Amino acid sequence: MALTERQPQLEKTKALRARAPLSRKAIAALCVASFVAGLLLSGRVALMPADASGDGGAAKEGVRVSGGCGGNKRKLGENHPKDLLNEVSRTHQAIESLDKAVSTLEMELAVERARSGDGGGTAVASKPPQKAFVVIGINTAFTSRKRRDSLRDTWVPRGEKLRKLEMEKGIVIRFVIGHSGAPGGGALDRALDSEEAETRDFLRLDHAEGYHELSSKTRIYFTTAVATWDADFYVKVDDDVHLNLGMLSSRLAKHRTRPRVYVGCMKSGPVLSQKGVKYHEPEYWKFGDEGNKYFRHATGQIYAISKDLAAYISINQPILHRFANEDVSLGAWLIGLEVEHVDDRSMCCATPPDCEWKKRAGNVCVASFDWSCSGVCKSVDRMRHIHKACGEGEGAVWNVAI
């Protein structure tokens, strides 16, 4: 009898053991459900009257826990479910902040490896980079000597004033240019050598100049700048744009504590598939059907990126794809990253009377140019007038808190 009674129980036990074990997802779901149920039950304890229990003394005394450094006491279970959810939310935010901090440290480590030549790349500079607040690279060409001089006569300091600005304010300004590509260096390279010896305000790149090579030049500029200066921001500006250094610095200083910042006048122009037109995009098919627009990106006359984004370009520059237009290329490099796009319309004011009226109203522009010319029209002849009408004043940059 005993054996016949035990037989069904043994069969049930074998059947239970024969079942497939719970998956990891099911176990995780059960754990989460148990945790949430525990939170809800612990939150409901506070709803019970203190003297509802038969053991009045124990209920009145309760179990007390310390409430922080101030020594405040509270009963266990006094937290409302909403308070517990707020605690969970704050913990989640703290984890996200920690994750961003770790990402930043990893990026800085990768940059240091790249600078020392241990990161799989080639070290651009052998000495440690100089500390700076912002590096302003002015894109220029061999035939633009008069444009460069027009900037030196207005918003770009000369000689000792340029060095003082670097040492005291951490603002570095350089005209950015490569080489002509002529074997052994041609007449253009020799003329630039002479100008550089006189002005000492160039950043020479290992790059062959050419209009259709602007995307490559931009990659190499950021790579060289990151290896040379350890700055908070890196700016690219064209040599036919008027710039107020003080306003630029004050604007960037507001974003100093934010990681991965991309600042400029954001736009989304049409993808031009027709050959022969200006800004033709040979790879138009990658942007969808004909007539589509580009993703949002900063206009190419002037933009700024924070140090971690410049470091990202420096580290990954060999595999970053180049589109026909340089500003589109930069936007493409950053579109898939956790980047904060800052649309700053003060970086694309029009020339007088627009920037002049804004100055009188107390809204001094960061940069001014003419959209119709993709820069200041006839900049050599007009830059001095624009500087007088829209400039912030020579001493403004020295009063900016950086």
Side-chain angles (χ1 to χ4, degrees):
M1 287 291 292
L3 290 174
T4 56
E5 288 178 355
R6 290 178 183 177
Q7 189 66 27
Q9 295 179 358
L10 291 173
E11 291 179 355
K12 289 182 181 179
T13 303
K14 291 180 179 179
L16 288 173
R17 290 178 179 176
R19 289 179 183 177
L22 291 176
S23 65
R24 293 184 179 179
K25 291 184 178 179
I27 295 173
L30 287 173
C31 291
V32 172
S34 301
F35 176 71
V36 173
L39 290 178
L40 294 176
L41 290 174
S42 63
R44 292 181 60 184
V45 174
L47 300 177
M48 299 173 60
D51 55 353
S53 173
D55 188 3
K60 289 179 181 178
E61 286 296 325
V63 181
R64 298 181 179 271
V65 295
S66 60
C69 297
N72 295 329
K73 304 288 184 178
R74 60 178 173 83
K75 292 182 180 179
L76 183 65
E78 279 187 347
N79 281 343
H80 192 272
K82 290 184 177 179
D83 297 331
L84 295 172
L85 292 176
N86 289 336
E87 287 291 339
V88 173
S89 177
R90 283 194 290 268
T91 303
H92 179 67
Q93 292 175 0
I95 292 173
E96 284 187 337
S97 299
L98 181 60
D99 182 60
K100 290 181 179 179
V102 171
S103 298
T104 301
L105 290 174
E106 289 177 343
M107 182 65 71
E108 291 178 354
L109 178 60
V111 172
E112 293 302 322
R113 286 176 176 172
R115 283 170 175 162
S116 62
D118 296 332
T122 302
V124 179
S126 57
K127 60 182 181 180
Q130 176 185 334
K131 288 284 186 180
F133 169 63
V134 59
V135 175
I136 303 172
I138 307 172
N139 184 46
T140 191
F142 286 105
T143 57
S144 299
R145 173 65 191 261
K146 290 184 178 180
R147 283 188 178 184
R148 293 191 289 273
D149 285 340
S150 71
L151 299 190
R152 293 178 181 125
D153 291 338
T154 52
W155 62 267
V156 175
R158 293 175 180 263
E160 290 303 317
K161 289 184 179 180
L162 185 67
R163 307 291 173 260
K164 183 179 179 181
L165 193 63
E166 292 181 21
M167 299 303 297
E168 296 186 13
K169 303 298 291 186
I171 301 175
V172 178
I173 306 173
R174 293 289 187 275
F175 289 101
V176 180
I177 195 169
H179 55 80
S180 66
L188 294 175
D189 297 288
R190 290 192 293 271
L192 197 66
D193 292 339
S194 177
E195 183 182 349
E196 182 180 16
E198 176 188 348
T199 60
R200 297 173 59 199
D201 55 6
F202 281 93
L203 176 63
R204 305 288 288 271
L205 305 179
D206 184 13
H207 166 76
E209 287 290 318
Y211 178 78
H212 297 291
E213 297 296 330
L214 288 179
S215 294
S216 293
K217 184 176 182 179
T218 301
R219 291 190 313 179
I220 298 172
Y221 158 60
F222 285 121
T223 300
T224 308
V226 166
T228 309
W229 295 281
D230 180 13
D232 293 326
F233 296 95
Y234 297 84
V235 174
K236 178 264 176 182
V237 60
D238 290 338
D239 62 3
D240 54 355
V241 172
H242 180 266
L243 183 64
N244 281 315
L245 295 173
M247 285 303 302
L248 174 67
S249 301
S250 63
R251 291 276 184 170
L252 294 180
K254 295 178 181 179
H255 307 295
R256 199 171 193 176
T257 59
R258 301 177 183 177
R260 298 178 292 279
V261 178
Y262 175 30
V263 188
C265 286
M266 300 295 164
K267 65 173 185 177
S268 179
V271 180
L272 302 178
S273 59
Q274 184 179 354
K275 292 184 178 180
V277 299
K278 191 176 183 181
Y279 306 127
H280 164 63
E281 178 57 70
E283 297 179 275
Y284 62 89
W285 61 274
K286 290 185 176 180
F287 298 91
D289 296 332
E290 188 173 349
N292 279 0
K293 290 186 175 182
Y294 288 113
F295 41 78
R296 194 70 62 178
H297 63 279
T299 186
Q301 286 83 354
I302 177 174
Y303 50 75
I305 58 176
S306 55
K307 65 185 300 181
D308 36 14
L309 296 183
Y312 170 81
I313 295 173
S314 173
I315 295 168
N316 298 283
Q317 63 99 6
I319 59 172
L320 294 177
H321 184 70
R322 296 164 294 165
F323 288 101
N325 300 301
E326 159 250 340
D327 53 351
V328 174
S329 293
L330 179 68
W333 301 338
L334 305 181
I335 194 68
L337 306 180
E338 287 291 341
V339 174
E340 180 181 356
H341 288 61
V342 179
D343 184 18
D344 191 340
R345 308 314 290 182
S346 71
M347 296 177 72
C348 54
C349 295
T351 55
D354 179 62
C355 59
E356 186 176 9
W357 290 341
K358 290 177 179 177
K359 176 183 176 181
R360 291 178 181 178
N363 300 317
V364 180
C365 294
V366 172
S368 303
F369 56 87
D370 299 306
W371 285 103
S372 59
C373 297
S374 298
V376 174
C377 298
K378 299 180 180 179
S379 63
V380 174
D381 300 327
R382 298 178 59 217
M383 191 62 69
R384 190 183 294 273
H385 166 69
I386 296 171
H387 187 65
K388 183 178 180 180
C390 305
E392 61 192 352
E394 187 176 351
V397 66
W398 300 102
N399 297 324
V400 176
I402 298 176

